[in-house]
Amino acid sequence: MARYTRIPGSIALITLMNPPVNALSAAVRQGITDTVGRAVSDPEVKAVVLCGENGKFCGGADIREFAGPMTGPPLIPMIDAIEAAEKPVVAAIEGIALGGGLELALACHYRIAHVKARLGLPEVTLGLLPGAGGTQRLPRLIGVPAALDLIVTGRHVSAQEALKLGIVDQVTDGNIQEVAMEFAQSMSATLNSRC
Ligand SMILES: CCC/C=C/C(=O)SCCNC(=O)CCNC(=O)[C@H](O)C(C)(C)COP(=O)([O-])OP(=O)([O-])OC[C@H]1O[C@@H](n2cnc3c(N)ncnc32)[C@H](O)[C@@H]1OP(=O)([O-])[O-]
């Protein structure tokens, strides 16, 4: 599932909750769909921060659900709805953003990573390709050669390498949620002053 918190001011904080790695189970996909919809339709909310509980952004698809039939909202429309949101969505990446978790972050409009975070598209190690926009969004962001390297090797990169490659916009050693909310607040103030 996903928790929705209205932060005083104009920010909605959406927290993925699915221990141990906040994988994108049916309940989490439903939670993200519902909370993003709620944030977008609330006129008081000007920007959204997406994070994961317990120091982990998201470990990707929930491998515990691979054996059963697909239930819950599909991943791709859920991720596309974030990209299409008319309010800025900031990914606060702590711990890991892997597979569908990185694809989720790639659909956000700004990515801040904690200095100890690791990011990657390990689908190839499971015999899969990134199927939720990673093969489009990553090359657009960092170029085809660098994206292909990550997609065909499945290797994880550090936050610093992700910053150098252009996968994330900012790296912090501070409290990731506070840094992301502060950034979202300033982004919404700038946007408001121009509208
Ligand atoms: C259409 C597109 C579809 C998308 C596809 C994808 O996203 S494919 C990409 C899918 N993602 C991946 O391929 C990521 C695969 N995972 C990893 O690379 C590593 O587990 C880690 C780096 C996340 C953590 O390393 P670490 O050495 O710190 O810890 P650890 O390894 O000991 O694991 C701790 C616990 O977490 C559990 N668990 C882990 N991942 C998942 C998951 N996705 N789900 C559920 N559970 C997961 C693991 O079973 C274990 O549980 P236990 O036994 O304690 O009950």
Side-chain angles (χ1 to χ4, degrees), residues 136-159:
Q136 288 83 44
R137 291 191 180 97
L138 192 61
R140 284 181 198 143
L141 202 56
I142 68 172
V144 171
L148 263 180
D149 170 46
L150 294 189
I151 291 167
V152 303
T153 63
R155 74 183 178 91
H156 299 179
V157 297
S158 67

Side-chain angles (χ1 to χ4, degrees), residues 53-147:
E53 197 177 47
N54 292 330
K56 294 189 174 79
F57 182 71
C58 179
D62 195 325
I63 51 183
R64 294 166 297 194
E65 292 187 351
F66 276 8
M70 168 94 181
T71 58
L75 195 52
I76 294 173
M78 181 203 85
I79 287 181
D80 287 351
I82 292 174
E83 188 174 56
E86 289 177 359
K87 299 174 183 180
V89 182
V90 177
I93 302 170
E94 193 173 17
I96 47 167
L98 297 175
L102 179 55
E103 291 178 301
L104 177 65
L106 290 173
C108 295
H109 308 110
Y110 195 81
R111 285 164 290 283
I112 304 176
H114 187 265
V115 70
K116 290 189 176 157
R118 287 180 296 146
L119 302 87
L121 293 172
E123 282 87 341
V124 69
T125 64
L126 301 171
L128 303 169
L129 281 173
T135 53
Q136 288 83 44
R137 291 191 180 97
L138 192 61
R140 284 181 198 143
L141 202 56
I142 68 172
V144 171

